[in-house]
C-alpha cells in the first residue's frame, strides 16, 4: 500500500491527479448545518501509517471523535501487533483489537500520521516536504522514538527502551529492588495522547490559516516531559530520584498496604486526612505524636510509621477496610485484578466496556473512551478492520481507480483485499 501512496504522490506532482479543493479531502473546520449529535471531527479523514501502540492509540481516539481513520498496513503481514499473542481471538491478537477500532485503508486525507524512522518516508516520496507540495492543507504528524534529528534519531524506538532512557524505569519498581517496566506501555500511551492533542491543535491552526503543518512527536520527549515533579526535584534541587514501590517520596502515608486477603491503597495528603486514617485504624494516639504531627515529620519518620500502619491493616480483610473508609473523605481503594476492574460498578457506570461486532469472531469487548461530552453521544464503534478488508473500496471510491488498475495492483501484490465471509 505504501507503493500505492508513493504512486499517488508522483501522479499528483506530475499533474495527473489534482488536489481536492473541498469536501472531505480539505476540511475547513466550518460546522455543517445539521448539528444534531455531530461529532467534532466528522468530515476529517486521517491517513494512518502507524504501527504498534503510540500512533494507533492516537488515531483511535481521533476516530472516537468522528474522524474517518484509514489504516495502511503491509500486504500479507500488516501491523506488527496482529501477531503479538497469545491471547488471540480467532486469528486476531487482542493487542491489535485493543487500539484499532474505527479504521480503514486509503490515501487522500486531511491528517497524515506515521511512525517510521526519520527519512524513511522521504526516501519514498512521502515525507512532509513531498506531501506539502501536493497537499499544503495536510496536518502531518510524525511519531518516532527519539526525534527527527540528533544522535539517537535513527534508532528504532520501543516503549521499554524509551522508558529506560527517559528515566521512567529508574523510578519504577520496589524500594531497594530492581527497575521494573510498568504493566502497560505508558511511554507509548503518553506519546499517543501528546500526538492526539497536537493533531487537534494542528486542525485548529489550519482552520485559522488554511495551511497545514508538521508535528514532531517522539517517545523520549513525551516521557521526559511526564517526569514532572521528579524531574524538577533534580533540575532545581539536584535531588536524584529513587524507586518507592507503591509509596510516594513526598507524602506519607500514600501507598498500598497488605490486608488479610489483598491490598488497599490509602493516601493522606494533609493532616486532617491523616487524623481520619488513624481514627479508622483505631490508632488515635498517632494523631498528636510529635513524630507524625505534620507531613514533613511523617516523611522523616516514614519507616516507623508505615510499620505501625501495616501491622494494623493486616489484621482485617479488604472488604472490612473498604466499609470503614467509605464516606471518610480519605482517598482509598483496593488493588483490583482485571476481573474486579470490569466488575467495578463505577467502571461499568462510566461506560468503560464497549461492545462491538467483529466480522469473523462475533461480539467482542474493548475498553471504551475515557472522555464523555455533554452534546455528543458515543455511537456504536466499528471493530478493527481485517487486513486488507477495505482495500478495493478505498481504491475505487476514494482514489477513483478503475477496475483494471485495481486488478493489476491486486495481482502484483502491491495491495491485498480480504473478503469478509
Amino acid at each position: 500500500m505504501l507503493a500505492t501512496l508513493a504512486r499517488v504522490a508522483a501522479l499528483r506532482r506530475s499533474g495527473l491527479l489534482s488536489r481536492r479543493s473541498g469536501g472531505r479531502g480539505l476540511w475547513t473546520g466550518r460546522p455543517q448545518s445539521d448539528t444534531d449529535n455531530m461529532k467534532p471531527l466528522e468530515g476529517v479523514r486521517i491517513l494512518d501509517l502507524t504501527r504498534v501502540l503510540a500512533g494507533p492509540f492516537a488515531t483511535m481516539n481521533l476516530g472516537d471523535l468522528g474522524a474517518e481513520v484509514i489504516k495502511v498496513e503491509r500486504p500479507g503481514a500488516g501491523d506488527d501487533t496482529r501477531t503479538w499473542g497469545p491471547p488471540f481471538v480467532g486469528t486476531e491478537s487482542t493487542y491489535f483489537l485493543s487500539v484499532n477500532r474505527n479504521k480503514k485503508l486509503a490515501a487522500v486525507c486531511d491528517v497524515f500520521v506515521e511512525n517510521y524512522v526519520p527519512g524513511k518516508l522521504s526516501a519514498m516520496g512521502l515525507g512532509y516536504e513531498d506531501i506539502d507540495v501536493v497537499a499544503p492543507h495536510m496536518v502531518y504528524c510524525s511519531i518516532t522514538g527519539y526525534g527527527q534529528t540528533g544522535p539517537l534519531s535513527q534508532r528504532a524506538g520501543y516503549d521499554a527502551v524509551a522508558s529506560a532512557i527517559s528515566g521512567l524505569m529508574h523510578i519504577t519498581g520496589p524500594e531497594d529492588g530492581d527497575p521494573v517496566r510498568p504493566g502497560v506501555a505508558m511511554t507509548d500511551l503518553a506519546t499517543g495522547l501528546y500526538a492526539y492533542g497536537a493533531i487537534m491543535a494542528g486542525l485548529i491552526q489550519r482552520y485559522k490559516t488554511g495551511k497545514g503543518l508538521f508535528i514532531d512527536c517522539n517517545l523520549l520527549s513525551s516521557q521526559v516531559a511526564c517526569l514532572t515533579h521528579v524531574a524538577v526535584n533534580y533540575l532545581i534541587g539536584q535531588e536524584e530520584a529513587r524507586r518507592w514501590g507503591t509509596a510516594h517520596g513526598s507524602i506519607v502515608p500514600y501507598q498500598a498496604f497488605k490486608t488479610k486477603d489483598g491490598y488497599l491503597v490509602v493516601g493522606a495528603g494533609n493532616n486532617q486526612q491523616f487524623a481520619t486514617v488513624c481514627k479508622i485504624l483505631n490508632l488515635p494516639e498517632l494523631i498528636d505524636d510529635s513524630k507524625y504531627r505534620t507531613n514533613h515529620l511523617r516523611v522523616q519518620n516514614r519507616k516507623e510509621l508505615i510499620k505501625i500502619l501495616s501491622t494494623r491493616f493486616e489484621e482485617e480483610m479488604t472488604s472490612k477496610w473498604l466499609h470503614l473508609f467509605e464516606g471518610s473523605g480519605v482517598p482509598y481503594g483496593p488493588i483490583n485484578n482485571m476481573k474486579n476492574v470490569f466488575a467495578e460498578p463505577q467502571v461499568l457506570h462510566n461506560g468503560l466496556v464497549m461492545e462491538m461486532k467483529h466480522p469473523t469472531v462475533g461480539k467482542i469487548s474493548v475498553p471504551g473512551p475515557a472522555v464523555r461530552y455533554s452534546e455528543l453521544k458515543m455511537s456504536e464503534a466499528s471493530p478493527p478492520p481485517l487486513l486488507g478488508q477495505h482495500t478495493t473500496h478505498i481504491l475505487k471510491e476514494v482514489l477513483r481507480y478503475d477496475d483494471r488498475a485495481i486488478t493489476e495492483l491486486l495481482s502484483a501484490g502491491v495491495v491485498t483485499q480480504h473478503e469478509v465471509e
Side-chain angles (χ1 to χ4, degrees), residues 392 395 401-415:
T392 300
L395 292 174
Y401 280 33
D402 59 31
D403 291 339
R404 180 178 178 182
I406 294 173
T407 299
E408 289 178 355
L409 289 170
L410 291 169
S411 298
V414 174
V415 297

Side-chain angles (χ1 to χ4, degrees), residues 95-336:
Y95 197 116
F96 176 80
L97 293 173
S98 71
V99 289
N100 286 286
R101 62 177 178 261
N102 295 316
K103 301 184 181 182
K104 295 181 183 178
L105 304 176
V108 183
C109 298
D110 306 291
V111 180
F112 189 111
V113 192
E114 58 89 7
N115 64 347
Y116 286 81
V117 173
K120 177 76 171 181
L121 290 185
S122 293
M124 301 180 68
L126 291 169
Y128 175 67
E129 64 280 2
D130 305 296
I131 299 298
D132 187 44
V133 171
V134 298
H137 66 281
M138 184 74 76
V139 175
Y140 191 116
C141 179
S142 177
I143 301 174
T144 60
Y146 306 100
Q148 297 296 311
T149 59
L152 300 184
S153 61
Q154 292 301 303
R155 282 193 191 178
Y158 265 22
D159 170 271
V161 180
S163 70
I165 296 174
S166 68
L168 177 61
M169 275 196 192
H170 176 70
I171 59 174
T172 304
E175 185 178 1
D176 302 322
D178 293 333
V180 171
R181 174 186 173 274
V184 293
M186 291 308 305
T187 301
D188 267 342
L189 294 171
T191 306
L193 290 173
Y194 270 116
Y196 164 70
I199 289 167
M200 298 285 276
L203 289 170
I204 294 173
Q205 175 77 353
R206 189 178 73 178
Y207 170 65
K208 293 179 177 179
T209 67
K211 179 76 171 66
L213 75 167
F214 179 79
I215 298 168
D216 173 11
C217 286
N218 67 82
L219 304 184
L220 179 64
S221 295
S222 297
Q223 188 55 67
V224 170
C226 286
L227 294 176
T228 58
H229 71 282
V230 175
V232 172
N233 288 346
Y234 175 75
L235 292 173
I236 294 178
Q238 283 70 57
E239 180 183 334
E240 182 54 78
R242 53 173 291 188
R243 291 181 286 284
W244 287 104
T246 65
H248 193 289
S250 303
I251 306 172
V252 175
Y254 191 142
Q255 66 180 73
F257 292 94
K258 196 174 188 306
T259 67
K260 260 188 177 181
D261 63 339
Y263 292 89
L264 185 76
V265 175
V266 174
N270 56 53
N271 295 334
Q272 182 177 344
Q273 289 180 345
F274 175 67
T276 301
V277 169
C278 293
K279 291 174 184 176
I280 291 173
L281 269 61
N282 197 24
L283 296 170
E285 66 276 11
L286 298 180
I287 297 173
D288 295 318
D289 192 307
S290 60
K291 297 191 295 292
Y292 314 129
R293 196 167 291 159
T294 67
N295 181 69
H296 182 69
L297 290 168
R298 292 193 288 273
V299 171
Q300 285 183 336
N301 298 288
R302 173 193 301 268
K303 288 189 176 181
E304 182 181 349
L305 176 58
I306 295 303
K307 183 178 180 180
I308 296 170
L309 299 180
S310 296
T311 299
R312 179 70 182 102
F313 272 110
E314 284 197 73
E315 293 175 357
E316 304 289 351
M317 306 285 277
T318 302
S319 58
K320 176 71 175 293
W321 291 124
L322 293 176
H323 174 72
L324 291 173
F325 274 93
E326 179 65 32
S328 66
V330 174
Y332 72 98
I335 295 183
N336 284 330

Side-chain angles (χ1 to χ4, degrees), residues 325-385:
F325 274 93
E326 179 65 32
S328 66
V330 174
Y332 72 98
I335 295 183
N336 284 330
N337 59 20
M338 291 303 101
K339 180 180 179 180
N340 290 335
V341 167
F342 292 106
E344 174 67 49
Q346 191 65 46
V347 169
L348 298 174
H349 175 80
N350 288 358
L352 292 172
V353 178
M354 176 180 284
E355 293 185 347
M356 60 185 71
K357 187 176 181 181
H358 191 274
T360 61
V361 299
K363 187 170 74 171
I364 61 173
S365 297
V366 297
V371 180
R372 300 286 164 167
Y373 304 86
S374 63
E375 301 299 324
L376 169 64
K377 291 182 180 178
M378 288 295 176
S379 57
E380 184 177 349
S382 63

